[in-house]
């Protein structure tokens, strides 16, 4: 596959994943959560998180089986890079667009603690580059604990985060937040997919199953195209995963966060970024590792961590910076938003040139 062909395949797969996830997978999940009568907190932090993170989860799983696991760092790199993108770009650009984000500090502190625990979990895995079954299960266990905290530890102030965030993820972003070219491609893909699935809310089980199959297929294409593109330009695939793939798979979250930020719900934009990261690091990595260990029948699996330790440090640094910004006057100002965007530019530049 040539460089241009692989880049075109990456672009097409990312756009298709965004449309499929936003307009078919998440609505079907939302309908399932309603029929199961899940609470807003659990639905937002579990099923809706699965929906928004489905591409990263599928890429992490498929990367473990590509070339005998030689490119497992592509899956990890996509998730780690997406986490950096979410913290710096989603929150930063939301603050710039909205002229500042007013937040509820209780929810921010709660979610930041969970996110730092997730980073600590990832650092533990990276320390020896081996994942044992108990270590993989620990990620799911930590996320289960986070769900319990969400259900039991309520914000004493008015907390609109989980309920409205779940609702915003289950509905398409309004047209004024999307470029016209995107709307044209989106309409074409929706027309084609609806011929197969029908209304994803009425045929929610069929739409759910078909969406999963297509997400896996598109993620496989992404992994293969990423490896081909990286080989063609002579850089490690993990670098492409940390930058291009990470930004591409986070595009739906970015657009929904910009929309709610414009509506004056800044806390939701922050909750979207931090909550998605916690899910990605604990479940987006833990679940594929458990599946791989079960299928391979091994006592442990090796995961590539080359070029990723700097990203772990970046995750910690950006979390601390964002927390300090949010603690001051309970506001993420437009100037602080620009600083976060500059930090991301520095991260991408260092990642590509180092």
């Amino acid at each position: 596959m040539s460089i241009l062909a692989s880049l075109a395949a990456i672009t097409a797969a990312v756009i298709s994943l965004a449309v499929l996830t936003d307009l078919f997978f998440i609505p079907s999940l939302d309908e399932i959560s309603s029929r199961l009568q899940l609470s807003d907190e659990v639905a937002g932090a579990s099923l809706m998180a699965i929906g928004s993170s489905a591409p990263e989860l599928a890429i992490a799983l498929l990367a473990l089986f590509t070339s005998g696991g030689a490119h497992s760092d592509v899956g990890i790199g996509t998730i780690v890079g997406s986490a950096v993108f979410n913290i710096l770009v989603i929150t930063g650009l939301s603050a710039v667009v909205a002229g500042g984000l007013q937040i509820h500090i209780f929810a921010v502190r709660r979610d930041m603690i969970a996110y730092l625990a997730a980073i600590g979990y990832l650092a533990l895995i990276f320390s020896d580059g081996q994942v044992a079954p108990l270590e993989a299960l620990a990620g799911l266990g930590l996320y289960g604990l986070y769900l319990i905290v969400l259900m039991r530890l309520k914000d004493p102030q008015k907390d609109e985060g989980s309920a409205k965030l779940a609702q915003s993820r289950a509905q398409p972003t309004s047209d004024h937040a999307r470029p016209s070219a995107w709307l044209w491609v989106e309409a074409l893909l929706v027309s084609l997919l609806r011929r197969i699935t029908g209304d994803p809310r009425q045929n929610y089980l069929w739409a759910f199953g078909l969406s999963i199959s297509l997400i896996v297929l598109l993620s496989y294409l992404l992994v293969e195209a990423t490896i081909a593109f990286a080989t063609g330009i002579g850089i490690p695939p993990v670098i492409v995963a940390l930058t291009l793939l990470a930004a591409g798979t986070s595009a739906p979250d970015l657009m929904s966060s910009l929309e709610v930020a414009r509506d004056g719900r800044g806390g939701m934009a922050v909750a979207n970024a931090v909550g998605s990261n916690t899910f990605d690091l604990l479940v987006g990595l833990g679940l594929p590792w458990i599946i791989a260990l079960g299928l391979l029948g091994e006592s442990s699996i090796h995961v590539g961590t080359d070029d990723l330790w700097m990203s772990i440090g970046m995750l910690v640094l950006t979390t601390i910076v964002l927390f300090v910004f949010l603690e001051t006057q309970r506001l993420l100002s437009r100037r602080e938003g620009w600083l976060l965007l500059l930090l991301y530019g520095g991260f991408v530049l260092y990642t590509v040139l180092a």
Side-chain angles (χ1 to χ4, degrees), residues 17-39:
L17 276 173
V19 173
L20 178 64
T21 302
D22 262 9
L23 302 182
F24 290 89
F25 188 52
I26 290 181
S28 67
L29 273 178
D30 183 56
E31 190 64 30
I32 291 172
S33 69
S34 297
R35 292 178 181 272
L36 293 176
Q37 297 183 333
L38 298 180
S39 68

Side-chain angles (χ1 to χ4, degrees), residues 174-189:
S174 63
D175 289 352
H176 71 75
R178 299 170 183 247
S180 57
W182 178 280
L183 292 174
W184 183 85
V185 174
E186 182 181 275
L188 178 61
L189 290 174

Side-chain angles (χ1 to χ4, degrees), residues 10-352:
I10 291 173
T11 303
V14 165
I15 293 173
S16 300
L17 276 173
V19 173
L20 178 64
T21 302
D22 262 9
L23 302 182
F24 290 89
F25 188 52
I26 290 181
S28 67
L29 273 178
D30 183 56
E31 190 64 30
I32 291 172
S33 69
S34 297
R35 292 178 181 272
L36 293 176
Q37 297 183 333
L38 298 180
S39 68
D40 292 327
E41 289 84 359
V42 174
S46 57
L47 293 184
M48 292 305 108
I50 292 172
S52 64
S53 300
E56 291 99 321
L57 196 156
I59 289 171
L61 176 61
L62 291 169
L64 289 173
F65 296 97
T66 301
S67 302
H71 297 293
S72 62
D73 53 356
V74 169
I76 301 174
T78 301
I79 286 180
V80 172
S82 178
V84 176
F85 183 93
N86 288 349
I87 289 292
L88 295 180
V89 177
I90 288 182
T91 58
L93 194 56
S94 296
V96 170
V97 168
L101 301 178
Q102 197 75 39
I103 52 91
H104 291 151
I105 197 61
F106 177 91
V108 168
R109 288 171 178 169
R110 177 194 64 198
D111 293 343
M112 284 290 189
I113 290 173
Y115 180 44
L116 286 173
I119 296 174
Y121 166 74
L122 188 61
L124 177 65
I125 299 298
F126 276 23
S127 63
D128 61 359
Q130 298 289 329
V131 183
L134 286 179
E135 291 175 327
L137 286 170
L140 300 186
L142 283 172
Y143 197 77
L145 180 62
Y146 176 56
L147 290 181
I148 294 173
V149 171
L150 282 177
M151 289 186 289
R152 296 185 178 274
L153 191 60
K154 304 290 185 179
D155 191 340
Q157 301 176 359
K158 182 181 179 182
D159 189 359
E160 62 184 21
S162 297
K164 291 185 177 178
L165 179 57
Q167 182 181 11
S168 72
R169 284 176 172 172
Q171 296 174 348
T173 307
S174 63
D175 289 352
H176 71 75
R178 299 170 183 247
S180 57
W182 178 280
L183 292 174
W184 183 85
V185 174
E186 182 181 275
L188 178 61
L189 290 174
V190 168
S191 176
L192 293 173
L193 288 171
R194 276 189 175 254
R195 294 177 184 274
I196 305 173
T197 66
D199 187 338
R201 292 191 174 274
Q202 292 181 358
N203 307 321
Y204 59 93
L205 290 178
W206 168 242
F208 174 75
L210 184 64
S211 296
I212 289 178
S213 301
L214 290 176
I215 286 171
V216 171
L217 178 63
L218 289 168
S219 298
Y220 174 77
L221 173 62
L222 260 180
V223 171
E224 292 294 335
T226 298
I227 294 170
F229 178 73
T231 302
I233 62 177
I235 65 172
V238 66
I239 301 301
V240 180
L242 278 167
T243 53
L244 185 61
L245 278 193
T249 55
S250 295
D253 277 340
L254 173 62
M255 288 185 288
S256 61
S257 291
L258 291 179
E259 178 66 14
V260 298
R262 285 191 182 98
D263 291 341
R265 291 176 284 171
M268 285 180 59
V270 177
N272 190 12
V274 178
S276 293
N277 285 0
T278 302
F279 180 90
D280 283 347
L281 295 184
L282 295 178
V283 181
L285 291 176
L287 184 58
W289 287 334
I290 290 173
I291 294 174
L293 285 166
L295 292 178
L296 296 175
E298 302 285 346
S299 59
S300 66
I301 56 174
H302 173 76
V303 292
T305 58
D306 294 341
D307 302 310
L308 290 173
W309 270 110
M310 183 275 295
S311 300
I312 290 287
M314 192 66 177
L315 288 179
V316 176
L317 174 63
T318 54
T319 304
I320 294 173
V321 169
L322 179 61
F323 184 71
V324 170
F325 285 172
L326 294 173
E327 279 281 353
T328 56
Q329 302 178 345
R330 309 296 189 261
L331 174 73
L332 184 65
S333 68
R334 174 174 285 174
R335 183 178 63 178
E336 291 167 338
W338 279 116
L339 288 174
L340 293 178
L341 293 176
L342 286 174
L343 274 176
Y344 185 74
F347 165 75
V348 172
L349 191 62
Y350 178 85
T351 300
V352 173

